[in-house]
Amino acid sequence: MLVGICSQYWQFLVVFGILGGAGTSLIVTPAVAAIGHFFLAKRANATGIATTGGSIGGVIFPLMLESLFLKVGWSWATRIQGFVFLVLLVLANLLIRVRLRPLPKGNMLPNPKIFRQPAFVLVTIAAYFLEWGLFVPVTYLTSYCLDSGAMSPTFAFQVIAIYNAASSVGRWASGFLADRYGSYNIMIVTVFFCMSSSIGLWLPAAVFSERDSNHALNFGLTVSYSVLMGLASGSNISLAPVCVGLLCDTREYGQYYAMCYTVVAFGTLTGVPIAGAIIEANGGAYWGVAIFTAVCYFCALACFVTIRIAKVGWRWDAVY
């Protein structure tokens, strides 16, 4: 609600960056950890189903705001969104429950000793690079579509809704498959497709847009990327917490998840500004951020593969 009265950069930084970031972490962390209290064998599927709500919101809110901006203006559009958030958060606080008793008080404090586990360090690094890679297209895909000239401004704003709709399916599907074939196995496959789609679809589209090539080809590449990247990147949200949970006891799930994402939060904070600096350094071209996204996913892929090899060896048919 405060975003609507912001007019200077520092105000947006405080309200959206600091208050919004702190609030989001306080909401998401216990909500995801609570799922692990009720599910073990089907934890990935349960987490995938639960996290589809975020991507459904990613479909609804851009379209809602696009309409409200024209009808009531920026300030009231963000206030209306805030009231919707308020209702949803009240319902969430009434509905979310935990099954296991809290750990002793001393064990609820941050525990840096967790980072003595090499696998946990690697999964934290992997999640860090996932955040770097994930939020670049989420943030800049619409502006790329506008700058490319391959589609109308209206459709450019709808591309991110397409991306989030595909992500909704990807979040559920990756969790469903992970319970059958292993969370790390599915994560490796989906991260590989995130990397490949960024190199194979977004990079060529960005290069063609700079050369004023066929707009129809650019349009097809961009929409294909939105769908495929959305499907594959759904696992970044739904499976990453499950991969963390495989390294600890259920009672410690919340603590491990919080410690991991305390570090990962710095990736969320820095990834988008880094991508913006890359775009500026390339004179407004987007091919650099496409490569940056692919490199981030390559680093995450290397970490997940290393953990899998350390835990189950080189057996390709091992479920882990």
Side-chain angles (χ1 to χ4, degrees):
M1 295 180 183
L2 292 175
V3 173
I5 61 175
C6 293
S7 59
Q8 299 182 35
Y9 177 78
W10 70 267
Q11 294 172 343
F12 284 100
L13 182 64
V14 171
V15 173
F16 190 76
I18 298 176
L19 295 180
T24 300
S25 64
L26 291 173
I27 294 166
V28 173
T29 303
V32 172
I35 299 170
H37 282 207
F38 293 91
F39 297 91
L40 182 60
K42 300 295 183 181
R43 180 180 291 173
N45 192 23
T47 305
I49 293 171
T51 55
T52 57
S55 53
I56 292 172
V59 175
I60 295 172
F61 285 115
L63 300 177
M64 182 188 80
L65 289 173
E66 183 187 2
S67 176
L68 289 174
F69 287 153
L70 298 175
K71 295 178 181 178
V72 298
W74 162 264
S75 297
W76 268 106
T78 54
R79 290 189 188 109
I80 291 170
Q81 180 178 244
F83 285 120
V84 174
F85 287 165
L86 179 62
V87 173
L88 294 175
L89 290 172
V90 169
L91 291 174
N93 277 276
L94 293 174
L95 295 174
I96 293 176
R97 294 286 186 271
V98 295
R99 182 178 64 86
L100 302 175
R101 294 182 179 180
L103 292 168
K105 185 175 181 181
N107 292 332
M108 295 174 64
L109 298 174
N111 183 13
K113 293 181 179 179
I114 294 174
F115 289 100
R116 293 179 181 177
Q117 303 177 33
F120 182 75
V121 173
L122 284 173
V123 80
T124 301
I125 295 172
Y128 188 97
F129 279 108
L130 287 181
E131 295 293 304
W132 260 10
L134 174 64
F135 285 102
V136 172
V138 169
T139 304
Y140 289 106
L141 197 54
T142 297
S143 61
Y144 162 73
C145 293
L146 291 169
D147 292 344
S148 70
M151 56 195 71
S152 67
T154 300
F155 190 80
F157 283 97
Q158 293 172 354
V159 165
I160 196 62
I162 295 172
Y163 181 103
N164 282 304
S167 178
S168 181
V169 177
R171 294 182 190 197
W172 166 77
S174 60
F176 176 78
L177 293 172
D179 283 333
R180 294 170 178 261
Y181 303 108
S183 295
Y184 277 87
N185 292 343
I186 299 301
M187 180 64 88
I188 288 169
V189 172
T190 55
V191 170
F192 174 79
F193 277 107
C194 289
M195 177 187 69
S196 301
S197 62
S198 296
I199 287 291
L201 295 173
W202 195 15
L203 179 59
V207 172
F208 292 151
S209 67
E210 289 299 303
R211 298 178 179 177
D212 296 324
S213 296
N214 190 323
H215 284 333
L217 176 61
N218 197 343
F219 180 91
L221 288 171
T222 303
V223 173
S224 297
Y225 176 71
S226 300
V227 174
L228 295 178
M229 181 64 173
L231 282 170
S233 65
S235 66
N236 299 183
I237 303 298
S238 63
L239 278 191
V242 180
C243 289
V244 173
L246 288 174
L247 305 177
C248 65
D249 182 80
T250 299
R251 288 183 177 273
E252 299 175 316
Y253 183 30
Q255 186 181 47
Y256 271 66
Y257 178 71
M259 290 297 296
C260 174
Y261 276 82
T262 297
V263 176
V264 171
F266 290 98
T268 308
L269 177 68
T270 57
V272 171
I274 290 172
I278 293 173
I279 295 172
E280 184 177 358
N282 289 320
Y286 286 81
W287 59 267
V289 293
I291 295 174
F292 175 75
T293 302
V295 170
C296 289
Y297 277 111
F298 173 80
C299 294
L301 178 64
C303 291
F304 283 122
V305 169
T306 302
I307 295 171
R308 186 190 183 282
I309 293 172
K311 295 294 185 179
V312 298
W314 292 93
R315 291 187 298 121
W316 66 271
D317 59 340
V319 176
Y320 184 72

